[in-house]
């Protein structure tokens, strides 16, 4: 899982560099792209939050805000990653004739729901990290 998180984070960083944007989600088109971009953003800012929490220069109340924001965002971001992996699996199964369009529609619908739930939580983490820097 750690390797996957690192890969996703690197993919988002390269996308951000290519787009010259600090908002990789705005440059996406498909549900899966949005999900990966959101998850990558989460990974990057979660790592920044962890560094800030370890810094003796960051006040205790800010460290707690960082912990709280991460605690809220992590399960939602993990659900997005699981959801996009499910969509990709169902797409492969559909191409192989092993499932139906209906199952794919359900997987994409679930991913959209998880994405909608996770996005404000990840945005809050980003906001708290930027405020702590």
């Amino acid at each position: 899982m750690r390797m996957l998180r690192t890969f996703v984070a690197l993919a988002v960083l390269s996308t951000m560099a290519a787009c010259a944007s600090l908002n990789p989600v705005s440059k996406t088109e498909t549900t899966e792209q949005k999900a990966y971009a959101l998850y990558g953003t989460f990974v990057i800012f979660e790592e920044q939050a962890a560094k800030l929490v370890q810094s003796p220069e960051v006040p205790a109340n800010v460290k707690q805000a960082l912990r709280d924001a991460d605690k809220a965002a992590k399960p939602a971001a993990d659900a997005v990653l699981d959801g996009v992996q499910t969509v990709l699996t169902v797409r492969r199964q559909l191409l192989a004739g092993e499932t139906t369009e209906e199952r794919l529609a359900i997987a994409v619908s679930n991913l959209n729901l998880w994405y909608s739930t996770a996005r404000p939580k990840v945005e809050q983490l980003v906001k708290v990290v930027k405020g702590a820097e």
Side-chain angles (χ1 to χ4, degrees):
M1 185 66 155
R2 178 86 173 142
M3 185 178 295
L4 177 62
R5 288 171 51 101
T6 302
F7 172 77
V8 171
L10 290 174
V12 170
L13 283 174
S14 66
T15 300
M16 287 170 61
C19 297
S21 170
L22 291 176
N23 185 1
V25 175
S26 70
K27 303 297 181 186
T28 59
E29 296 175 11
T30 69
T31 302
E32 296 94 317
Q33 288 172 340
K34 288 179 182 183
Y36 274 132
L38 185 68
Y39 186 78
T41 300
F42 166 74
V43 170
I44 291 164
F45 281 89
E46 182 185 46
E47 289 180 8
Q48 289 177 329
K51 289 177 186 174
L52 289 166
V53 166
Q54 297 300 319
S55 173
E57 298 163 4
V58 176
N61 64 325
V62 174
K63 289 180 181 184
Q64 189 58 50
L66 289 162
R67 286 185 197 101
D68 292 344
D70 179 60
K71 185 177 180 180
K74 183 162 181 37
D78 288 346
V80 166
L81 183 60
D82 291 344
V84 77
Q85 290 172 338
T86 298
V87 167
L88 295 175
T89 298
V90 173
R91 279 193 199 283
R92 282 191 301 274
Q93 291 171 343
L94 183 62
L95 288 172
E98 300 169 354
T99 195
T100 64
E101 288 281 344
E102 181 181 7
R103 185 159 177 245
L104 178 59
I106 291 168
V108 171
S109 178
N110 287 339
L111 178 57
N112 278 320
L113 176 63
W114 293 322
Y115 174 85
S116 296
T117 300
R119 186 171 182 172
K121 294 174 182 180
V122 172
E123 289 172 348
Q124 179 62 25
L125 175 63
V126 169
K127 181 180 174 182
V128 173
V129 168
K130 286 183 176 183
E133 293 180 327

